Amino acid sequence: MRFDIVTIFPEFFEILDISLLGRARQTGLIELGVYNLRDYTHDRHRTVDDTPYGGGAGMVMKPEPWGEALDEVLSPSADPVVIFPSPAGEVFTQKMARELSAEEHIVFGCGRYEGIDQRVFDHTAERARVRLVSLGDYVLNGGEVAVMAMIEAIGRLVPGVVGNPESLVDESHEDGLLEYPSYTKPASWRGHDVPPILLSGNHGAVDAWRREQQVERTRRVRPDLLAD
Ligand code: 6GU
């Protein structure tokens, strides 16, 4: 799996050298490229934005640097997906992360300011599968934090990245329910006891209890998931 990121804050992604995905990069399971959008400008001030046609507050990212950056990043790829993080996009889900983890090449285009000139999306859609993707119903200053979250969610689903694949099965959202609560030793801590059923050795009863906890927790904090 290859991820490429186009951004005006390339240093932001240095953090990906460490942690789980850092190891996956060392072993070659995941390749990562980070491109500075300003390297594709040609003026002395390395300008990436300008005032909006039609007026209004804020600045809009100019199409030309995006065109040149995407020309370079997309050129070696047979069938890339290009994701533009945007609060105006479809909502990122575990299902989407799983689908994307089967891709060979994902390019992320991080917008800042009030957005990117619409023609960048339209033109890119002529040569790649383009998706606008949102983390949820709130506004971030730019796409960088969203891309970090997406890369972590997608990358850990790439086969071999997470050591024990069984640990991916029982997680929140994998079966449309939230995860059950977990406990480890000691059996009693500061007056709080581990539910006795977990100490019973009865695997059928433990499974049933965990399922019940998942449904109860989901009904309480995320009833919208049960409706789905
Ligand atoms: Cl993907 N980008 C920005 N700028 N804000 C967001 C978002 C993305 N998802 C939620 N809010």
Side-chain angles (χ1 to χ4, degrees):
M1 159 79 82
R2 180 170 179 89
F3 295 116
D4 284 307
I5 303 163
V6 181
T7 172
I8 57 169
F9 296 117
E11 321 79 43
F12 198 95
F13 296 95
E14 286 170 12
I15 194 84
L16 288 174
D17 290 342
I18 53 177
S19 83
L20 188 70
L21 295 191
R23 213 198 45 189
R25 288 178 65 191
Q26 277 159 17
T27 60
L29 285 171
I30 292 178
E31 292 174 283
L32 181 71
V34 181
Y35 298 79
N36 188 343
L37 184 68
R38 291 192 199 277
D39 290 343
Y40 301 89
T41 60
H42 300 287
D43 64 310
R44 213 159 53 83
H45 299 289
R46 315 229 294 164
T47 309
V48 292
D49 62 328
D50 207 336
T51 53
Y53 275 124
M59 301 288 269
V60 176
M61 294 188 106
K62 296 161 60 62
E64 304 98 315
W66 279 106
E68 291 192 30
L70 290 170
D71 282 347
E72 177 166 341
V73 173
L74 294 176
S75 63
S77 190
D79 186 25
V81 178
V82 182
I83 294 178
F84 292 102
S86 165
E90 50 180 327
V91 174
F92 188 68
T93 60
Q94 186 67 17
K95 178 165 171 278
M96 197 189 297
R98 197 162 275 291
E99 285 166 12
L100 290 168
S101 71
E103 294 288 341
E104 254 164 51
H105 186 200
I106 302 177
V107 174
F108 293 98
C110 296
R112 280 264 154 182
Y113 312 106
E114 305 305 308
I116 303 174
D117 188 302
Q118 176 63 33
R119 292 168 294 180
V120 173
F121 308 122
D122 300 341
H123 177 256
T124 308
E126 291 167 359
R127 51 186 174 153
R129 289 171 289 155
V130 169
R131 297 176 84 160
L132 269 63
V133 180
S134 168
L135 285 196
D137 295 337
Y138 46 85
V139 178
L140 305 170
N141 274 333
E144 282 80 8
V145 165
V147 166
M148 196 74 83
M150 289 187 242
I151 285 180
E152 185 150 323
I154 297 164
R156 64 194 292 283
L157 296 175
V158 171
V161 170
V162 169
N164 177 6
E166 275 194 38
S167 66
L168 298 174
V169 175
D170 276 355
E171 296 175 328
S172 288
H173 301 296
E174 271 303 329
D175 57 3
L177 295 172
L178 302 183
E179 201 175 22
Y180 52 77
S182 301
Y183 298 86
T184 186
K185 292 178 273 299
S188 185
W189 178 72
R190 298 194 177 185
H192 295 263
D193 294 343
V194 171
I197 195 150
L198 297 178
L199 311 176
S200 69
N202 181 342
H203 298 298
V206 168
D207 287 349
W209 180 85
R210 285 178 168 166
R211 193 74 187 171
E212 211 176 276
Q213 293 291 311
Q214 283 191 280
V215 173
E216 170 47 33
R217 184 181 259 188
T218 308
R219 186 176 8 249
R220 190 160 28 90
V221 299
R222 292 295 304 279
D224 57 305
L225 294 180
L226 287 181
D228 293 346

